[in-house]
């Protein structure tokens, strides 16, 4: 798969717009300033991309969902277990420290946040680019960071040694929650998706 | 890849392999993938392969992603590049979890990875001295090249040394 510098720039701009919209929706939901910052979008070797994550010993909670339609791909929202409890309090408007242990409500919260992020990207495509994508229901996993991330990239990695990975960091005002949001465009249909994006941006 | 950099913990990525002498910790996290740890206890050299799929089947790409091409490659690296003796090598294997809620064994990648790994090691004459396989959760493993001990961790379960 060859992707030109120009195409990568277009992809980068498109993802930034999606992340800005997702930040706004997410801020409204948790009634607190939230910023999803794009770290990078780049073509990465699967081995290199997973080295740091395979060294992370923390228990994580992740919501994984697929994007179907004109810009197919996969999304993963991942957060350390301890931070998921803090996020649940924020999401439910409970006083800090109310959630003591990870249960089905925490998993539901993470699932819902996955939904919000997926829908935000879908809405951005529909509103700003006149195109449609549909997110699949999120699947929640509790495991090591590396294990969750491998599940996300397994299909892509079966056929390719490299993938396009968008990595973002969440910043929430007055909290130090450490969470990540990854977007992996489907590499098999990327040429087609890029052609559509290029046409939309003209 | 032979690790020569001065870094104590060396992490192995998905579909990758690394070989290291002392004093190093080789580490990875596994889901349905299988981790193959080879160790020569005479010269204290260890190797770790993180394989994703059982068979290469003429696919293009990295040989270390597959059991049937990755295991011979790891042995080759250890013998030719790190001067290990094949007769001294023993294997410890981990992972191969069923990460997806599926009823058919046909799509259980973890199980296929385990079966192919055991078969290849047997064919190549490498004894498996320890294993912790299957389940529905991920594994995190780390090899201490000084002792050959592998620590295996599964969330919610005690860490076990092999």
């Amino acid at each position: 798969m060859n992707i030109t510098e120009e195409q990568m720039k277009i992809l980068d701009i498109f993802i930034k717009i999606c992340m800005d919209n997702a930040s706004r929706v997410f801020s409204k939901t948790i009634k607190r300033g939230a910023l999803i910052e794009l770290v990078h979008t780049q073509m990465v070797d699967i081995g290199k991309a997973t080295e740091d994550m395979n060294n992370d010993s923390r228990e994580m909670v992740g919501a994984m969902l697929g994007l179907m339609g004109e810009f197919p791909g996969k999304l993963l929202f991942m957060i350390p277990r301890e931070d998921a409890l803090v996020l649940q309090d924020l999401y439910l408007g409970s006083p800090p420290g109310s959630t003591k242990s990870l249960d089905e409500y925490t998993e539901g919260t993470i699932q819902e946040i996955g939904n919000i992020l997926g829908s935000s990207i879908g809405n951005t495509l529909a509103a700003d680019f006149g195109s449609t994508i549909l997110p699949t229901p999120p699947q929640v996993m509790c495991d090591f960071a590396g294990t969750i991330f491998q599940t996300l990239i397994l299909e892509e990695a079966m056929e390719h040694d490299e993938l396009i990975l968008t990595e973002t960091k969440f910043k929430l005002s007055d909290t130090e929650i450490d969470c990540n949001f990854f977007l992996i465009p489907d590499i098999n249909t990327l040429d087609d998706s890029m052609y559509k994006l290029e046409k939309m941006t003209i | 890849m032979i690790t020569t950099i001065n870094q104590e913990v060396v992490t192995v990525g998905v579909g990758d392999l690394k070989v290291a002498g002392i004093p190093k910790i080789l580490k990875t996290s596994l889901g349905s993938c299988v981790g193959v740890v080879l160790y020569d206890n005479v010269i204290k050299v260890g190797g770790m392969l993180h394989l994703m799929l059982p068979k290469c089947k003429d696919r293009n790409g990295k040989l270390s992603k597959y059991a049937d091409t990755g295991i011979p490659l790891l042995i080759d690296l250890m013998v030719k590049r790190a001067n290990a003796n094949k007769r001294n090598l023993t294997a410890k294997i981990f992972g191969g979890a069923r990460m997806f809620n599926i009823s058919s064994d046909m799509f259980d990648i973890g199980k296929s990875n385990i079966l192919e790994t055991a078969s290849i090691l047997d064919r190549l004459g490498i004894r498996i001295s320890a294993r912790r396989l299957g389940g529905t959760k991920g594994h995190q493993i780390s090899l201490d090249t000084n002792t050959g001990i592998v620590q295996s961790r599964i969330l919610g379960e005690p860490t076990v040394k092999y």
Side-chain angles (χ1 to χ4, degrees):
Chain A
M1 170 70 208
N2 288 319
I3 183 160
T4 64
E5 208 172 308
E6 191 67 24
Q7 285 176 320
M8 198 62 95
K9 272 184 197 162
I10 290 170
L11 194 60
D12 212 53
I13 291 166
F14 161 69
I15 290 167
K16 271 183 187 146
I17 294 169
C18 289
M19 291 305 122
D20 283 349
N21 285 343
S23 295
R24 270 196 291 278
V25 175
F26 194 56
S27 298
K28 275 185 195 167
T29 308
I30 61 166
K31 298 180 181 68
R32 182 180 289 251
L35 178 65
I36 308 171
E37 274 186 340
L38 183 64
V39 178
H40 50 70
T41 300
Q42 59 185 20
M43 185 80 93
V44 289
D45 175 88
I46 54 166
K48 291 267 172 263
T50 48
E51 273 182 15
D52 284 347
M53 264 180 248
N54 284 351
N55 192 30
D56 193 332
S57 300
R58 291 175 299 172
E59 182 176 359
M60 311 289 275
V61 189
M64 205 177 322
L65 60 154
L67 298 175
M68 321 287 282
E70 289 180 286
F71 191 78
K74 290 196 188 81
L75 302 175
L76 170 66
F77 173 70
M78 188 160 67
I79 182 167
R81 178 195 166 99
E82 298 309 316
D83 289 348
L85 306 181
V86 177
L87 193 58
Q88 186 183 343
D89 286 341
L90 289 175
Y91 186 73
L92 297 176
S94 310
S98 301
T99 306
K100 305 280 185 212
S101 61
L102 194 141
D103 55 22
E104 64 266 35
Y105 295 107
T106 322
E107 289 189 14
T109 301
I110 301 303
Q111 195 169 26
E112 194 48 38
I113 291 167
N115 251 333
I116 291 166
L117 297 171
S119 303
S120 300
I121 292 175
N123 290 341
T124 305
L125 266 170
D128 295 353
F129 298 98
S131 189
T132 53
I133 57 166
L134 283 173
T136 63
Q139 183 192 354
V140 176
M141 288 180 76
C142 304
D143 219 311
F144 296 112
T147 303
I148 295 174
F149 193 74
Q150 279 161 47
T151 309
L152 177 79
I153 66 165
L154 188 70
E155 261 180 83
E156 295 286 322
M158 278 183 187
E159 292 180 48
H160 306 280
D161 291 345
E162 293 182 314
L163 49 87
I164 292 178
L165 176 67
T166 291
E167 190 177 345
T168 67
K169 286 292 279 184
F170 271 60
K171 284 186 180 167
L172 302 182
S173 65
D174 301 330
T175 62
E176 288 190 9
I177 285 180
D178 173 25
C179 49
N180 290 87
F181 179 53
F182 301 99
L183 169 66
I184 297 181
D186 176 25
I187 213 159
N188 291 318
T189 53
L190 192 66
D191 271 342
D192 201 29
S193 302
M194 288 309 303
Y195 176 72
K196 285 172 192 158
L197 276 181
E198 281 172 49
K199 277 180 73 178
M200 288 169 193
T201 50
I202 290 170
Chain B
M1 178 190 292
I2 306 273
T3 302
T4 51
I5 47 175
N6 186 20
Q7 180 188 344
E8 197 178 324
V9 178
V10 178
T11 313
V12 183
V14 173
D16 211 349
L17 58 81
K18 285 189 178 154
V19 174
I22 51 173
K24 292 273 190 270
I25 303 288
L26 285 172
K27 187 174 176 183
T28 199
S29 296
L30 304 157
S32 59
C33 301
V34 164
V36 179
V37 178
L38 296 183
Y39 187 65
D40 180 331
N41 65 355
V42 176
I43 62 163
K44 295 186 186 298
V45 163
M48 187 178 282
L49 167 70
H50 183 139
L51 65 92
M52 294 175 58
L53 292 168
K55 291 179 191 290
C56 180
K57 289 180 181 165
D58 299 326
R59 287 186 181 102
N60 290 323
K62 287 164 81 168
L63 298 177
S64 49
K65 289 201 302 195
Y66 313 99
D68 63 344
T69 49
I71 294 170
L73 183 63
L74 180 63
I75 294 170
D76 209 44
L77 266 178
M78 290 189 70
V79 172
K80 290 185 180 160
R81 301 273 299 275
N83 300 318
N85 187 330
K86 193 182 168 193
R87 280 181 298 181
N88 296 336
L89 292 179
T90 53
K92 296 177 184 180
I93 57 176
F94 304 87
R98 181 188 279 245
M99 301 304 295
F100 304 99
N101 189 17
I102 43 164
S103 53
S104 169
D105 274 359
M106 204 170 84
F107 300 108
D108 188 347
I109 297 169
K111 190 175 178 183
S112 306
N113 284 335
I114 292 168
L115 291 173
E116 186 66 16
T117 297
S119 161
I120 299 279
L121 287 168
D122 182 54
R123 200 163 69 220
L124 295 171
I126 307 287
R127 185 174 66 87
I128 300 173
S129 62
R131 64 187 84 200
R132 193 183 192 188
L133 299 161
T136 55
K137 301 291 280 182
H139 285 65
Q140 195 161 61
I141 56 169
S142 57
L143 164 71
D144 182 340
T145 56
N146 196 34
T147 61
I149 291 172
V150 179
Q151 292 204 37
S152 159
R153 189 171 160 234
I154 296 174
L155 287 177
E157 295 182 26
T159 299
V160 183
K161 289 182 181 179
Y162 293 93

